[in-house]
């Protein structure tokens, strides 16, 4: 089966839950059986209610006897005046043969049977009457249980009154073998109250109703177990799927994050996986139980009248066509809708992050409009889905109605010609309804599955992306001792016209502090990203103590680097948690030492937070991106970077949001931290640059000059421009 490949892949998260699957299957089986039983109980109900003379046991005996004789037996509708004796009892043994009581044959052919039955073989015809079975005489009702319980494969002697000649002829027949269901009905009939009076009939009815209630209750319990197990199974599958998507996203290379917008990723992790979950739920809740229920009812109905099957088979192709066409429409619309969702979340994410700019530029209305336009695209697709979804049920109902009409016309014909009894017709109708209901319930299943497939495509697009990996035979890089060398390094972003870093050759000695300056877009950040292997050079090499960093394990490379990014990130956590991010088990002493080194300890002591009525101070205070100032955040970031005492520090200086006091503290901290440590500072301030051992000037991806402040002032025009710009009063 080629359909739904991505959805089937997602089902891989369900199959390992074998115990739950088994439990669910048992429950589904229970639901099916009880459903079929409750639907088929309509027949005994109708029998009890509508046949004045025939009681439920009588009917069961008659059905069994009909099967044994291979002939239809006339229902006895005579009521004697005294009201106590009923049936075809037309007199006693001393009276003429024509009034002798017995079982009257209505028809020797049963439509469902292809072979002649024992009665037909013995020459018995319509209207003939069996008055004795193995010498035993009695009324219609006396003889039925006798016939029904005849032993298998043994000849039976009958006395039959021939209708035409009114003569009694002895016959010998071999009854058909009893089947399981006729033995079962005999057993049930023998246990039931046998009287024909109103009180007994009411008691029987009460028993049938009680049985029905019991069956419904048991069916309900099975249904609960089924749905509950499906719920747990699917939720667990979704939990694992989300976990995998998130952890995979975390391991994707930085280049992917450069191209991807956060909102779309969020949408895939959160929403798309929910859509897949909905598909799974509907699959296990409905796709299994509903067709099984329909099948169960079909089996029951076959014992009543096999023609029903023909009607059902007639509607199948039509229903299948409707489901297929609409499902495809939904699949397409859902794919577009999920994409639109991602776009919407992207917009939301960016606008909330940039709310200050938005407000400062009075862009609220414009942005609302933009949001509305994107939301409208989503709306358009959702409307398409709703339309196809809404059309599914009525179209299937129509197909179902056609089936019912055909059945009623055909069934009516059978009843009128006496080929079918009214209760059997009604019971067949109930069966048909019982079969159509589950089919109707699965009408929308395909739509949900197609939606899930569209979502699955987007999820597996991510899961199939290659993760960051160590090369085979990667070595653990020892802590830097001698130098970091960049040899002829070039890098171009995908789709960019010119390289962001071009032919850069630079050696940073261990313990040296090197400041990189240059105009925006000159490639400074890209250079630091190459050092951390967030990006790999397209050309050239980066070596640490002579080892190409591509040959080193990512872990050993990155753990010896401390990174402070320009836009400092504070996670919503305690200050301790934020500083100890690289090593959550770090003791308070180490965290405090890192904070002191970053000159952050004085303000940390004063920070306090109140969450859920609990007040926390200092390192235990909960902070977030919004609760700290730019300078404070930068200092926490420095403390975080130096917690593990990394050999190399990469510091992207903040260009804004740092007040004079913070800046001074940061400078002091840097001066201490860079001592004896290899440091690369992407510098924007003259004060930082002056303190560096060496300065590299970048322009358009190239290092145009490198040297001390004094040397560069003398030789490098770009550097002079940088210094002059810094000296201009703001
Ligand atoms: P700087 O840090 O000196 O301001 P960057 O290293 O950030 O410069 O950028 C260098 C060049 O690469 C710029 O032209 C920039 O537009 C481009 N660039 C940066 N990041 C990406 C990216 N993720 N995708 C494409 N181009 C990028």
């Amino acid at each position: 089966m080629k359909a739904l490949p991505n959805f089937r892949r997602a089902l891989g998260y369900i199959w390992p839950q074998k115990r739950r699957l088994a439990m669910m299957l048992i429950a589904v089986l229970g639901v099916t059986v009880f459903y079929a039983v409750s639907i088929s109980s309509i027949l005994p109900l109708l029998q009890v209610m509508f046949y004045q003379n025939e009681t439920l046991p009588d009917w069961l005996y008659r059905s069994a006897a009909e099967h044994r004789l291979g002939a239809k037996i006339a229902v006895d509708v005579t009521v004697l005046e005294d009201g106590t004796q009923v049936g075809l009892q037309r007199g006693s043994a001393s009276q003429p043969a024509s009034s002798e009581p017995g079982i009257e044959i209505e028809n020797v052919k049963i439509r469902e049977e292809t072979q002649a039955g024992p009665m037909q073989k013995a020459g018995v015809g319509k209207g003939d009457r069996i008055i004795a079975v193995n010498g035993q005489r009695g009324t219609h009702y006396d003889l039925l249980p006798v016939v029904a319980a005849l032993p298998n494969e043994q000849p039976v002697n009958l006395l039959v009154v021939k209708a035409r000649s009114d003569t009694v002829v002895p016959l010998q027949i071999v009854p058909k073998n009893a089947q399981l269901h006729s033995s079962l009905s005999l057993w049930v009939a023998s246990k039931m109250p046998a009287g024909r009076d109103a009180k007994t009939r009411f008691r029987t009815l009460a028993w049938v109703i009680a049985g029905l209630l019991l069956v419904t209750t048991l069916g309900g319990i099975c249904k609960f177990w089924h749905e509950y197990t499906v719920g747990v199974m699917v939720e667990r599958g979704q939990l694992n799927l989300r976990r995998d998507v998130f952890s995979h996203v975390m391991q994707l290379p930085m280049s992917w994050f450069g191209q991807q917008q956060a909102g779309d990723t969020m949408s895939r992790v959160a929403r798309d996986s929910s859509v897949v979950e909905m598909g799974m739920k509907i699959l296990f809740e409905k796709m299994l139980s509903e067709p099984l229920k329909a099948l169960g009812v079909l089996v029951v109905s076959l014992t009543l009248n096999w023609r029903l099957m023909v009607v059902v088979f007639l509607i199948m192709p039509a229903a299948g066509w409707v489901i297929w066409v609409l499902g495809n429409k939904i699949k397409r619309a859902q794919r577009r809708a999920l994409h639109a969702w991602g776009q919407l979340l992207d917009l939301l994410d960016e606008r909330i992050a940039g709310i200050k700019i938005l407000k400062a530029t009075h862009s609220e209305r414009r942005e609302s409009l933009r949001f509305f336009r994107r939301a409208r695209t989503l709306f358009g697709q959702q409307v398409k889905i709703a339309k196809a979804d809404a059309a599914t049920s009525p179209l299937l109902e129509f197909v179902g109605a056609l089936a019912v009409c055909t059945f009623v016309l055909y069934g009516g014909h059978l009843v009128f010609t006496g080929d079918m009894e009214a209760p059997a017709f009604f019971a067949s109708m109930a069966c048909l309804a019982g079969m159509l209901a589950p089919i109707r319930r699965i009408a929308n299943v395909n739509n949900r599955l197609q939606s899930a497939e569209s979502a699955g495509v987007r999820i597996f697009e991510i899961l199939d992306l290659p993760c960051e990996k160590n090369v085979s035979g990667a070595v653990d890089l020892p802590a830097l001792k001698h130098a970091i060398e960049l040899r002829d390094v070039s890098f171009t972003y995908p789709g960019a016209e010119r390289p962001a870093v071009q032919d850069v050759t630079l050696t940073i000695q261990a313990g040296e502090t090197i400041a990189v300056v240059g105009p925006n877009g000159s490639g400074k950040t890209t250079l630091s990203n190459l050092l951390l292997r967030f990006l790999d050079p397209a050309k050239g090499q980066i070596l640490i103590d002579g080892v190409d960093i591509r040959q080193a394990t990512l872990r050993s490379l990155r753990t010896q680097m401390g990174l402070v990014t320009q836009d400092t990130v504070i996670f919503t956590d305690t200050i301790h948690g934020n500083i100890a991010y690289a090593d959550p088990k770090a003791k308070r002493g180490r965290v405090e030492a890192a904070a002191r080194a970053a000159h952050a300890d004085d303000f940390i002591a004063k920070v306090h937070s109140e969450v859920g009525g609990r007040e926390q101070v200092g390192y235990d205070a909960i902070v977030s991106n919004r609760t700290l100032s730019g300078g404070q955040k930068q200092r926490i970031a420095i403390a975080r970077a130096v917690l593990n005492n990394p050999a190399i520090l990469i510091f992207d200086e903040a260009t804004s949001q740092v007040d004079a006091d913070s800046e001074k503290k940061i400078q002091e901290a840097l001066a201490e931290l860079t001592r004896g440590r290899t440091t690369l500072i992407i510098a924007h301030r003259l004060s930082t640059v002056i303190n560096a051992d060496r300065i590299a000037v970048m322009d358009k991806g190239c290092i145009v000059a490198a040297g001390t402040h004094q040397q560069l002032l003398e030789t490098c025009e770009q550097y002079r421009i940088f210094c002059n710009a810094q000296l201009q009063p703001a």
Side-chain angles (χ1 to χ4, degrees):
M1 199 177 80
K2 264 173 44 211
L4 310 171
N6 289 284
F7 179 66
R8 278 186 297 134
R9 232 179 116 183
L11 287 179
Y13 285 84
I14 301 290
W15 305 142
Q17 305 180 54
K18 296 214 168 50
R19 250 189 51 211
R20 282 202 192 97
L21 265 171
M23 217 148 86
M24 184 201 72
L25 283 177
I26 294 170
V28 166
L29 225 65
V31 171
T32 312
V33 169
F34 291 123
Y35 181 73
V37 171
S38 69
I39 292 278
S40 52
S41 66
I42 181 89
L43 190 57
L45 258 178
L46 291 169
Q47 288 291 344
V48 185
M49 304 285 289
F50 296 121
Y51 274 115
Q52 283 288 309
N53 303 331
E54 198 170 58
T55 63
L56 203 51
D58 296 335
W59 169 68
L60 289 169
Y61 286 133
R62 179 164 65 87
S63 309
E66 281 179 345
H67 170 73
R68 304 302 303 277
L69 297 177
K72 277 204 77 63
I73 297 170
V75 179
D76 182 7
V77 289
T78 334
V79 184
L80 292 189
E81 276 173 14
D82 65 0
T84 51
Q85 282 234 300
V86 290
L88 293 164
Q89 185 164 355
R90 294 174 189 168
S92 67
S94 60
Q95 286 175 312
S98 56
S99 55
E100 183 100 13
I103 298 172
E104 190 175 308
I105 302 298
E106 188 177 290
N107 200 339
V108 282
K109 276 194 208 136
I110 295 184
R111 270 203 186 221
E112 284 74 19
E113 302 286 341
T114 45
Q115 286 181 342
M119 294 308 274
Q120 196 180 4
K121 281 189 204 151
V124 176
K126 182 171 164 54
D128 293 355
R129 202 161 67 252
I130 302 167
I131 56 168
V133 180
N134 280 341
Q136 187 178 344
R137 290 177 180 244
T139 64
H140 167 93
Y141 294 109
D142 299 331
L143 293 182
L144 280 181
V146 180
V147 174
L150 284 172
N152 283 345
E153 286 162 17
Q154 275 182 28
V156 184
N157 294 314
L158 303 178
L159 279 182
V160 175
V161 178
K162 300 295 273 182
R164 286 217 184 124
S165 53
D166 198 19
T167 51
V168 181
V169 281
L171 289 175
Q172 196 179 56
I173 61 155
V174 179
K176 284 166 69 178
N177 284 352
Q179 282 179 343
L180 180 71
H181 74 264
S182 52
S183 316
L184 201 72
S185 14
L186 280 191
W187 180 79
V188 174
S190 67
K191 299 283 167 217
M192 282 187 180
R196 231 161 253 111
D197 54 302
K199 215 168 138 191
T200 318
R201 293 169 76 87
F202 185 76
R203 257 178 50 212
T204 314
L205 180 65
W207 272 111
V208 173
I209 295 292
L212 194 64
L213 259 178
L214 180 72
V215 166
T216 314
T217 313
L218 291 175
I221 293 172
C222 287
K223 203 169 152 64
F224 166 79
W225 264 109
H226 171 215
E227 291 196 2
Y228 175 64
T229 330
V230 168
V232 178
M233 204 164 67
V234 167
E235 291 300 339
R236 163 126 341 241
Q238 141 122 321
L239 177 72
N240 293 345
L241 178 66
R242 278 206 176 120
R243 176 200 61 196
D244 283 5
V245 177
F246 181 78
S247 71
H248 194 85
V249 166
M250 293 298 105
Q251 291 173 54
L252 286 175
M254 278 305 291
S255 53
W256 183 79
F257 290 93
Q259 294 156 14
Q260 195 65 19
Q261 284 179 302
D264 191 56
T265 312
M266 266 152 49
S267 163
R268 289 182 202 228
V269 177
R271 195 176 154 77
D272 295 16
S273 61
S274 293
V275 176
V276 170
E277 180 212 347
M278 247 154 59
M280 288 179 176
K281 208 164 185 167
I282 212 149
L283 176 80
F284 289 112
E285 265 181 9
K286 303 237 166 108
M287 224 19 212
L288 224 96
S289 64
E290 299 298 335
L292 266 177
K293 272 155 110 179
L295 198 77
V297 178
L298 184 70
V299 169
V300 172
S301 64
L302 283 183
T303 64
L304 294 170
N305 198 311
W306 59 265
R307 287 167 199 84
L308 198 56
M309 185 135 141
V310 178
V311 178
V312 172
F313 280 143
L314 276 179
I315 59 162
M316 286 292 186
W321 184 77
V322 168
I323 289 176
W324 185 74
V325 169
L326 296 177
N328 273 347
K329 273 190 190 309
I330 288 193
K331 184 164 134 187
R332 273 195 302 274
Q334 186 71 40
R335 201 179 308 140
R336 294 192 196 118
L338 289 173
H339 178 71
W341 251 107
Q343 299 251 303
L344 200 66
L345 285 184
D346 278 339
L347 187 93
L348 199 66
D349 178 50
E350 280 185 3
R351 297 314 182 267
I352 287 181
I355 188 71
K356 280 189 192 156
I357 309 292
L358 201 142
K359 280 185 180 296
T361 52
H362 292 293
S363 303
E364 293 94 331
R365 273 183 64 84
R366 188 158 40 88
E367 289 297 346
S368 297
L369 247 160
R370 198 198 299 265
F371 182 86
F372 179 70
R373 273 201 295 274
R374 285 211 187 168
R376 211 170 38 190
T377 313
L378 175 64
F379 164 80
Q381 297 304 328
Q382 299 284 36
V383 165
K384 277 192 192 155
I385 296 174
K387 190 166 149 198
D389 233 0
T392 310
S393 270
L395 278 175
L396 284 180
E397 300 254 339
F398 181 70
V399 174
L402 280 184
V404 173
C405 294
T406 320
F407 177 78
V408 171
L409 286 176
Y410 187 45
H413 167 74
L414 290 180
V415 172
F416 300 147
T417 54
D419 286 325
M420 199 179 195
E421 286 171 23
F425 170 73
F426 285 120
S428 296
M429 275 291 291
C431 281
L432 186 63
M435 223 174 328
L436 288 177
I439 292 178
R440 214 170 21 232
R441 252 172 265 144
I442 57 170
N444 289 335
V445 168
N446 187 48
N447 301 349
R448 294 287 96 75
L449 295 187
Q450 296 298 347
S451 293
E453 169 65 16
S454 300
V457 170
R458 285 164 51 83
I459 288 178
F460 288 111
E461 251 169 29
I462 289 196
L463 280 175
D464 288 342
L465 289 173
C467 291
E468 272 185 323
K469 265 206 309 269
N470 294 325
V471 290
S472 68
V475 291
D476 274 339
L477 203 64
L480 171 73
K481 281 200 198 70
H482 308 294
I484 305 172
E485 276 175 84
L486 290 93
R487 286 192 197 154
D488 246 354
V489 174
S490 294
F491 177 84
T492 313
Y493 285 102
E497 281 173 11
R498 58 174 193 83
V501 165
Q502 195 171 10
D503 300 325
V504 167
T505 299
L506 179 73
T507 305
I508 309 166
Q509 297 300 333
E512 190 182 20
T513 297
I514 187 152
V516 184
V517 296
N520 280 340
S522 56
K524 305 180 295 289
T525 310
T526 308
L527 199 65
S528 69
N529 286 342
L530 286 165
L531 274 180
L532 279 148
R533 275 201 72 204
F534 289 159
L535 306 168
D536 277 331
K539 206 177 103 216
Q541 278 181 306
I542 301 175
L543 307 149
I544 290 186
D545 290 343
V547 179
D548 187 328
I549 58 171
R550 270 177 295 204
Q551 302 302 323
T553 56
L554 283 168
R555 196 181 166 81
S556 69
L557 173 74
R558 289 180 185 162
T559 45
Q560 61 174 306
M561 300 199 180
L563 174 70
V564 182
T565 54
Q566 194 178 80
D567 305 315
T568 37
V569 177
I570 297 292
F571 300 103
T572 305
D573 195 354
T574 57
I575 288 186
H576 179 106
N578 265 293
I579 296 176
Y581 194 73
D583 182 7
K585 291 200 196 87
K587 294 258 162 40
R588 178 56 57 87
R590 260 177 74 202
V591 172
E592 284 176 3
R596 264 196 307 278
H599 287 225
D601 50 335
D602 56 343
F603 90 82
I604 289 176
K606 290 181 216 135
V607 177
H608 67 96
S609 70
E610 200 185 310
V611 179
R614 275 186 57 193
E615 196 161 347
Q616 300 285 7
V617 205
Y619 288 89
D620 294 321
I622 307 246
V623 288
S624 77
N625 243 337
R626 288 181 302 276
T627 54
L628 296 176
S629 78
Q632 291 172 333
K633 283 200 275 193
Q634 187 97 24
R635 278 182 278 164
I636 297 245
I638 295 173
R640 182 194 291 152
V642 298
L643 177 85
N644 284 334
N645 198 19
I648 305 165
L649 183 66
I650 298 178
F651 184 83
D652 197 344
E653 199 171 52
T655 43
S656 58
Q657 291 186 353
V658 178
D659 54 87
D661 180 47
S662 283
E663 190 180 333
K664 191 164 152 271
K665 292 232 163 69
I666 291 170
Q667 292 296 341
E668 285 166 9
L670 263 188
E672 287 163 30
L673 285 170
T674 55
R675 211 169 295 140
R677 202 189 298 266
T678 317
T679 313
L680 181 97
I681 304 180
I682 299 173
H684 301 284
R685 295 193 174 80
L686 195 57
S687 49
T688 320
V689 176
I690 291 171
N691 288 332
D693 299 325
R694 207 147 53 99
I695 301 145
V697 184
M698 282 193 85
D699 193 26
K700 298 196 182 84
C702 304
I703 294 194
V704 289
T708 60
H709 174 66
Q710 210 51 48
Q711 287 167 345
L712 290 174
L713 270 184
E714 288 159 18
T715 57
C716 183
E717 178 59 23
Q718 278 103 328
Y719 188 68
R720 274 198 295 273
I721 297 172
F722 167 77
C723 290
N724 287 337
Q726 291 289 314
L727 293 171
Q728 298 291 323

